[in-house]
Amino acid sequence: MAAPCTYHARTDGFFACLAGGSGACFHFGAPCQPADDCMLDGSDRRYKRCTQVVDGRCQRFAAPCAPPGTCWMHPDEGLYRECTQRQAGACARWGELCDPTMPAKIP
């Protein structure tokens, strides 16, 4: 199984998460691009479709999107939490910490 492509808040980019748990990735690998092109825009803290990716960072964002599953990066905390209520590329209600390396739970 390939390492999940996860957001790294300090670099505002996406990288393979080689080890993680309790809401965080502990060991990042190579830059990556999510298969669905849905990436977190660190400037406005919403998930959006990315039309141009360079080294794991989106250069051009488009319309809001929702990443697969319920384990999303909470942009204010820098940790992954269950999103229990989605709203236009953002999470309106956050739940418990989740493991970004686990397979996506479908809401």
Side-chain angles (χ1 to χ4, degrees), residues 39-57:
M39 299 175 81
L40 184 65
D41 180 349
S43 66
D44 74 356
R45 302 187 325 256
R46 291 186 178 275
Y47 281 90
K48 297 177 185 172
R49 188 85 44 218
C50 183
T51 60
Q52 182 181 1
V53 179
V54 176
D55 293 330
R57 291 173 185 83

Side-chain angles (χ1 to χ4, degrees), residues 8-82:
H8 188 301
R10 282 186 236 149
T11 65
D12 194 27
F14 279 73
F15 297 85
C17 182
L18 304 176
S22 300
C25 181
F26 307 129
H27 184 75
F28 289 96
C32 59
Q33 178 176 352
D36 63 357
D37 297 328
C38 188
M39 299 175 81
L40 184 65
D41 180 349
S43 66
D44 74 356
R45 302 187 325 256
R46 291 186 178 275
Y47 281 90
K48 297 177 185 172
R49 188 85 44 218
C50 183
T51 60
Q52 182 181 1
V53 179
V54 176
D55 293 330
R57 291 173 185 83
C58 185
Q59 305 298 306
R60 187 175 299 130
F61 285 104
C65 60
T70 58
C71 190
W72 293 17
M73 168 61 76
H74 189 304
D76 295 334
E77 296 179 350
L79 295 171
Y80 279 82
R81 288 192 172 272
E82 294 290 334

